[in-house]
Amino acid sequence: MRWTLLGALVGSPAAMIRGVAPEMQGQYAQGLRCNGQEVAASAINDNYCDCEDGSDEPGTGACSGQEGTLFHCANVGSTPRLVYASRVGDGICDCCDGSDEDLDQVTAAKCSNTCKEEGERSRAEREAKLQDLRAGLQVKTKTISEATQQKQEKEA
């Protein structure tokens, strides 16, 4: 298989646009319009900013500096996230799966996929917070019960 400029595998059943969240892929399915004109599929992720809003470069840093131009990190095994387009291809691994650097083969080699470990760490932290919350709720329930009992004893 070979890669297209869209960052999708040619012949794959659902060509995915690099840097676009799965739920946003549909915006590119019927073609892209910006600045009042149709943007050719070959112009998406071609490292040239054709659209003022940067929507034609979701997988490159060509349109960096705009708040609305974000790159989607799938981070399978961890939490998906969005990073500014200026962080794509900058030599720093911002996505735990390294997808923000994977077109640059030199940097991509440095970006090991740490999503599994990151995901496990996040899940453990959430579980610890949940246990703390449950313990706090037990203390609250006990305190309310004791206060209610003391109030009833005073009133009697």
Side-chain angles (χ1 to χ4, degrees):
M1 292 190 209
R2 64 184 171 89
W3 288 91
T4 67
L5 289 175
L6 299 177
L9 288 172
V10 173
S12 64
M16 300 287 283
I17 307 293
R18 180 177 188 262
V20 178
E23 65 274 9
M24 304 296 285
Q25 290 287 327
Q27 293 180 352
Y28 292 84
Q30 301 302 319
L32 180 65
R33 290 191 61 81
C34 69
N35 307 334
Q37 297 179 28
E38 187 76 24
V39 176
S42 62
I44 298 173
N45 283 338
D46 66 350
N47 225 7
Y48 181 80
C49 194
D50 299 293
C51 300
E52 291 175 10
D53 66 356
S55 58
D56 65 308
E57 296 299 317
T60 75
C63 300
S64 60
Q66 299 176 6
E67 289 186 30
T69 308
L70 300 171
F71 178 87
H72 177 263
C73 304
N75 292 343
V76 175
S78 186
T79 305
R81 68 183 281 212
L82 296 172
V83 297
Y84 288 111
S86 60
R87 295 182 177 182
V88 176
D90 65 353
I92 299 171
C93 307
D94 299 294
C95 303
C96 66
D97 61 5
S99 60
D100 62 312
E101 302 298 323
D102 69 359
L103 291 183
D104 176 1
Q105 295 305 315
V106 174
T107 308
K110 296 178 188 174
C111 295
S112 58
N113 188 333
T114 59
C115 291
K116 180 180 177 187
E117 295 83 4
E118 183 179 287
E120 289 171 354
R121 193 171 44 253
S122 293
R123 283 185 287 281
E125 288 170 3
R126 281 193 306 271
E127 184 58 36
K129 286 180 183 179
L130 185 59
Q131 287 177 358
D132 287 346
L133 178 62
R134 286 181 179 144
L137 288 172
Q138 286 178 342
V139 170
K140 177 182 175 182
T141 301
K142 181 181 175 190
T143 303
I144 290 171
S145 176
E146 289 173 355
T148 303
Q149 184 179 2
Q150 288 174 2
K151 180 180 176 186
Q152 289 172 349
E153 288 173 0
K154 282 185 178 181
E155 291 175 350

